[in-house]
Amino acid sequence: GCAAVLRGHKGLHLPSETERRWRRWPMNEMSQEKLIEERIKAALEGGKLPCAAAFKIAAELNLPPRRIGEAADALGIKISSCQLGCFP
């Protein structure tokens, strides 16, 4: 479901083209985390992150959606308006 898409899943993981690009031109880890945090906080609606916004942030930063989900979890932010109906 949506949680698996945003947070990833345990099992075989083959890096996507986007992930390979980030490895070739790595951004400072702290600045990348700070940028993700800023984007998430800017997209909040009622204290929650809409699912569509999480996917948009991932696309804009060329990151897998799972990274945005992990960052939201770390910030204690819940996903809302799930496109798959997983989160009300």
Side-chain angles (χ1 to χ4, degrees):
C2 191
V5 172
L6 287 176
R7 293 187 189 99
H9 64 283
K10 308 281 186 223
L12 179 63
H13 174 72
L14 299 174
S16 69
E17 177 59 32
T18 300
E19 290 171 309
R20 287 192 293 275
R21 253 186 275 143
W22 272 100
R23 287 188 188 130
R24 275 183 268 167
W25 300 292
M27 184 183 227
N28 175 314
E29 186 76 21
M30 276 308 271
S31 62
Q32 182 181 12
E33 290 303 317
K34 188 71 175 162
L35 179 61
I36 293 169
E37 180 181 340
E38 288 173 4
R39 293 286 181 95
I40 288 173
K41 288 182 176 180
L44 293 180
E45 293 180 9
K48 294 184 178 183
L49 179 65
C51 185
F55 277 95
K56 182 179 178 186
I57 293 167
E60 290 172 351
L61 298 179
N62 291 322
L63 292 171
R66 153 178 57 96
R67 290 275 283 123
I68 307 306
E70 291 168 350
D73 280 346
L75 294 167
I77 296 170
K78 296 184 183 233
I79 305 292
S80 68
S81 305
C82 177
Q83 295 169 318
L84 300 176
C86 298
F87 301 98

